[in-house]
Amino acid sequence: MLTVRDTIVKRRRFLYLAASLAIVDDQQKRLAEAEEQQMATPPRRKTQRKVLQYSFRVEASTICQFMSKVCKAIITVYKDEMLCCPKSEEEWKEVSAMFSSRFNYHNCLGAVDGKHITIKKPPNAGSYYYNYKGFQSIVLRAVADTTYKFLYVDVWAKGGALDGGTWSNCSLHYAVEENRAGVPQPEQLPNDDHPMPYHLVGDDAFALQTWMMKIFSQRSQVLRECIYSYRLSRA
């Protein structure tokens, strides 16, 4: 049985192989065109030998173009299989069961966080894409399960925007707020008789809500708050 690390390594090797095959295919086409052009050109002398010189240097722009094509092809083929956000109570409860069995943290629907993806500054963009880390970026917002698999991805926000603001404008946020996401009704925790709502977990950048939990402030924590923060941090 493959572990999570083995799965990630396997996916990375697949990406590298797909990109390499795309570049090799392009080079083969260029070589074929060069041979046809050389064969069509009459030699200056009868004794002149036909010498074909090929350059296997790949420009950065060519690599970017093929990587873009490879990524689009992978998304088209594997989107429904690898990136499927739960839409019903049963599907959300399957995710919650994974958090319960692995981290002993119950009624959790996923962990949400963001990542700044480095980009080249667009023309006339000003400081919209300049983030607090000191570089130009766009924000990848994602919800993941216990196996690090993305359940939901949103990529649109400019790097200069705040984490809380980008999350509040995501389609999943709107769906949960309007009760369109299929989130299960509150249920009792083990060894307890009080129903607790199902929720996502995040860091301090996200606003605290009934369906969004985060750790307690580290300035004033009693023992039970420290225990809860520890268990939530694991999730």
Side-chain angles (χ1 to χ4, degrees):
M1 182 177 181
L2 292 178
T3 63
V4 175
R5 179 180 178 85
D6 293 336
T7 304
I8 295 175
V9 172
K10 185 176 180 181
R11 292 176 183 174
R12 288 180 177 176
R13 290 177 178 174
F14 173 77
L15 290 174
Y16 295 150
L17 178 60
S20 301
L21 291 176
I23 295 175
V24 170
D25 182 65
D26 179 70
Q27 291 298 319
Q28 290 178 348
K29 291 181 180 179
R30 293 189 179 185
L31 291 176
E33 293 176 357
E35 289 180 354
E36 293 178 359
Q37 184 178 3
Q38 188 69 21
M39 294 294 294
T41 304
R44 296 181 180 180
R45 297 179 182 178
K46 295 182 179 180
T47 58
Q48 181 180 4
R49 298 181 60 185
K50 298 178 181 178
V51 180
L52 299 180
Q53 296 181 355
Y54 304 122
S55 175
F56 288 90
R57 180 182 178 183
V58 182
E59 298 180 355
S61 59
T62 303
I63 296 178
C64 292
Q65 292 176 1
F66 280 100
M67 286 300 297
S68 177
K69 293 180 180 179
V70 170
C71 290
K72 290 180 180 179
I74 293 175
I75 292 174
T76 301
V77 175
Y78 290 100
K79 179 180 179 181
D80 296 335
E81 177 183 354
M82 306 303 300
L83 185 59
C84 183
C85 183
K87 298 180 177 61
S88 64
E89 292 189 8
E90 292 74 17
E91 294 175 345
W92 283 117
K93 287 183 179 181
E94 290 179 2
V95 177
S96 177
M98 297 169 64
F99 278 93
S100 298
S101 61
R102 182 167 184 178
F103 300 118
N104 196 26
Y105 187 82
H106 309 289
N107 290 18
C108 181
L109 303 179
V112 57
D113 205 349
K115 174 70 175 178
H116 286 273
I117 309 299
T118 305
I119 64 171
K120 184 178 180 180
K121 181 180 178 181
N124 303 321
S127 60
Y128 286 112
Y129 293 90
Y130 189 80
N131 60 41
Y132 68 94
K133 296 184 178 181
F135 58 89
Q136 307 287 333
S137 68
I138 57 175
V139 180
L140 164 68
R141 184 72 55 199
V143 178
D145 63 11
T146 58
T147 61
Y148 311 105
K149 177 184 177 182
F150 283 169
L151 303 176
Y152 171 84
V153 171
D154 183 90
V155 185
W156 67 271
K158 301 178 178 63
L162 298 176
D163 288 345
T166 57
W167 166 245
S168 61
N169 290 322
C170 290
S171 58
L172 181 60
H173 182 278
Y174 288 128
V176 175
E177 284 283 342
E178 299 172 1
N179 296 323
R180 295 185 290 103
V183 176
Q185 295 297 319
E187 292 186 357
Q188 298 177 358
L189 298 178
N191 303 320
D192 195 1
D193 57 354
H194 297 285
M196 298 295 295
Y198 282 86
H199 55 273
L200 300 168
V201 293
D203 55 22
D204 288 335
F206 301 94
L208 184 65
Q209 301 190 43
T210 56
W211 51 269
M212 174 64 75
M213 294 288 104
K214 59 183 182 179
I215 63 175
F216 284 94
S217 173
Q218 297 181 359
R219 296 180 180 177
S220 59
Q221 285 190 359
V222 296
L223 179 59
R224 62 180 183 179
E225 293 179 353
C226 292
I227 295 175
Y228 175 80
S229 297
Y230 168 73
R231 296 177 65 179
L232 188 145
S233 298
R234 291 187 62 200

